[in-house]
Amino acid sequence: MPGPVAAYLDGHQNGRLHLQHGPIELLIGVDGAHSLELEAYQRALAFALAHRRFKTVLDELVAELPLLRSQARPDGVEPQGAVARRMWRAVLPFASEHFITPMAAVAGAVADEILTAMLLGFTAENRPNRIYVNNGGDIALHLEQNASFRVKIAREDGADLGDFTVTAEDRCRGVATSGRGGRSLSMGIADSVTTLSDSAASADAAATIIANAVDLPGHPAVCRAPADTVVDDSDLGARLVTTGVGALTDQDIAFALDKGEAMAKNLRLRTLIERSALFLGRHGRLVTPPHPSAPHIPIPEEKLYA
């Protein structure tokens, strides 16, 4: 396997940094300083720190892969590597009630680790105003002062499902999406579930759990197969994953989304997530903080309901 590769995605050093090693592909941005000179300095230092930390991430994960592909248990063995520990700790709140492996949080945990490595190179007074590390849609954020980050939600076919904005005042610092349209297998039928939490790893794990809950067990329109027949060496083993969804009635979709929404609300009450947007077909649900001043996801109603 080729080693880690780094490149400026926009063709110059003041653009975004692209890091890739095997299946891991990161897009990193640093901006928001009061002057171009300070921003260039912060960006160059942050990118160098990100690249240095990224070089060993994949090898560290591979070294503990059997453990990371095993079912997480509250009394289980904690991994040794920094990223692996982030993965394990992110899925642990779900381990007593659900089947989940640390791999459910791998993308978010890598993003969190690279963000942390960058921030360690700065004093609290000299940190960049905004840093984002996007690992295939699972995003770790650093936001200060009036910085914000806008996330656009789209279906797998490119249809626009709306957007939301995370501000420096929000407690959220992680965004993740799971579902049938993602890079990983899903035991549910959601097209996508986008979730916000205090870290990308936590959002990643929670999105997986919510997406699995959007389901119609035994429905004839839902095709399933053992995970290890779809993807070799899947961490899900012989558990059934969704391989296709045929025509569903509005009632079917509403029932499936009801289950996912109930799960999301439960996780929000447990403070495991802050917000979540669930989509199936042309229908969707939002789970947001209940108070009037809370940030919300401004998705047009016609995009949510058929």
Side-chain angles (χ1 to χ4, degrees):
M1 178 187 298
V5 176
Y8 294 115
L9 188 66
D10 302 301
H12 54 82
Q13 63 186 9
N14 289 322
R16 295 164 295 172
L17 179 66
H18 178 240
L19 297 175
Q20 184 170 13
H21 190 192
I24 307 175
E25 188 168 5
L26 306 182
L27 179 64
I28 304 173
V30 178
D31 54 38
H34 297 301
S35 69
L36 293 178
E37 293 79 6
L38 177 59
E39 184 170 285
Y41 163 76
Q42 291 178 335
R43 184 180 293 115
L45 176 56
F47 283 177
L49 293 167
H51 189 201
R52 184 175 69 182
R53 180 65 186 94
F54 183 70
K55 290 179 180 179
T56 62
V57 165
L58 184 58
D59 290 341
E60 292 171 17
L61 292 173
V62 170
E64 298 190 86
L65 203 53
L67 176 59
L68 298 177
R69 284 178 169 171
S70 300
Q71 181 176 357
R73 302 182 186 279
D75 58 349
V77 177
E78 182 174 2
Q80 297 300 307
V83 180
R85 288 199 304 272
R86 290 181 187 274
M87 296 162 59
W88 185 76
R89 291 168 182 168
V91 304
L92 207 56
F94 310 103
S96 61
E97 299 178 5
H98 306 275
F99 173 84
I100 193 168
T101 76
M103 292 301 293
V106 61
V110 170
D112 287 332
E113 179 70 13
I114 298 303
L115 176 62
T116 299
M118 288 189 283
L119 290 174
L120 287 174
F122 297 89
T123 65
E125 298 76 21
N126 195 36
R127 288 175 173 174
N129 208 33
R130 186 175 78 156
I131 304 175
Y132 56 89
V133 181
N134 187 337
N135 187 3
D138 295 343
I139 308 168
L141 297 171
H142 169 74
L143 302 170
E144 292 199 358
Q145 299 176 23
N146 61 346
S148 63
F149 188 86
R150 180 172 175 262
V151 180
K152 187 174 182 180
I153 306 174
R155 269 201 324 243
E156 190 177 12
D157 61 5
D160 181 14
L161 295 174
D163 59 81
F164 57 83
T165 299
V166 181
T167 69
E169 289 73 28
D170 292 331
R171 76 173 185 89
C172 308
R173 289 297 180 265
V175 183
T177 299
S178 186
R180 294 193 304 113
R183 297 180 296 176
S184 302
L185 301 176
S186 179
M187 293 189 282
I189 64 172
D191 292 333
S192 69
V193 171
T194 298
T195 299
L196 278 69
S197 189
D198 57 355
S199 71
S202 296
D204 201 1
T208 299
I209 293 296
I210 298 169
N212 287 344
V214 180
D215 199 13
L216 294 170
H219 195 287
V222 180
C223 300
R224 306 179 195 269
D228 53 10
T229 67
V230 180
V231 174
D232 292 339
D233 298 324
S234 169
D235 60 308
L236 299 178
R239 289 172 175 80
L240 295 180
V241 296
T242 304
T243 57
V245 178
L248 299 175
T249 66
D250 287 347
Q251 290 77 13
D252 290 335
I253 294 173
F255 180 80
L257 286 173
D258 282 346
K259 295 176 65 179
E261 182 180 13
M263 177 64 72
K265 287 181 175 178
N266 176 268
L267 299 188
R268 198 193 64 75
L269 288 173
R270 293 171 59 190
T271 69
L272 294 174
I273 68 169
E274 180 71 6
R275 293 176 260 169
S276 191
L278 298 70
F279 298 99
L280 176 57
R282 287 179 53 83
H283 296 250
R285 301 286 175 83
L286 301 179
V287 174
T288 62
H291 47 89
S293 61
H296 65 283
I297 305 175
I299 302 175
E301 186 174 354
E302 64 269 17
K303 295 293 185 181
L304 286 175
Y305 303 102

